[in-house]
Amino acid sequence: MTANVLRILGMIATPVSQRIGVAALRISIAIVFLWIGALKFVPYEADSITPFVANSPVMYFFYKHPEDYKAHLTREGELKPADRAWETANNTYAFSYGLGTVELIIGFLVLAGLVSVRLGLAGAVLAFLTPFVTLSFLVTTPEAWVAALGDAQHGFPYLSGAGRLVLKDTIILAGGWLLVVDGARAILAQMARHPEAERADRNRSVAPARISARR
């Protein structure tokens, strides 16, 4: 390698560059959770997740009639009052509001990591765990794969639009883990810099337990 290339690599491979990259990763993951979480309060987004929820063995019970979802599917931008009425009765929107609230909380916690290590670590852990649920949709949701409608390319490994949307969570899985590692390192570094304060915090948390045990 030439001296100029090595100089550029040296400029890139600095602690400052790493911190910028981690902060950018944090902001990117937060944007995904905040934006998509906010959209969960809009009917079209709530309608679009119906196949995932209805087929999920850990979520289907949130809907009143999960087995009937196929007859009421709508495309994005399409308005069918009768199907919207069914989705309302199915508890589709109430569930979506709850899910959106959870995603907003995760997004804000991840973003809070810019100023609070502990809040950021909590958000990172949740962001890391979330894809384990969403990626399971590739197994449970038929609509995640191209349907057999005549073309030779259908089923595995041909992801549909819904499947491609889910697959992106592999990036959040990896990025969330990097944020977890970064948060753990930051907390350990704080403890190393201020061991007396950490011991005092632990003593304060242990004292009430000791008093209760004596009683």
Side-chain angles (χ1 to χ4, degrees), residues 70 142-156 158 160:
K70 289 186 178 182
E143 287 82 0
W145 306 96
V146 174
L149 301 177
D151 197 348
Q153 287 74 41
H154 60 83
F156 181 86
Y158 305 106
S160 66

Side-chain angles (χ1 to χ4, degrees), residues 66-80:
E67 68 282 357
D68 298 330
Y69 78 93
K70 289 186 178 182
H72 303 279
L73 290 177
T74 57
R75 293 178 296 177
E76 294 177 351
E78 187 176 44
L79 175 60
K80 292 182 177 180

Side-chain angles (χ1 to χ4, degrees), residues 87-144:
E87 296 284 10
T88 300
N90 186 49
N91 205 39
T92 298
Y93 302 127
F95 171 78
S96 187
Y97 298 159
L99 180 60
T101 300
V102 172
E103 291 178 343
L104 288 174
I105 291 172
I106 294 174
F108 281 122
L109 285 173
V110 170
L111 194 61
L114 295 172
V115 294
S116 171
V117 173
R118 285 174 168 77
L119 288 178
L121 179 58
V125 170
L126 293 172
F128 170 70
L129 294 176
T130 299
F132 285 101
V133 177
T134 54
L135 289 172
S136 71
F137 296 151
L138 293 176
V139 178
T140 61
T141 310
E143 287 82 0

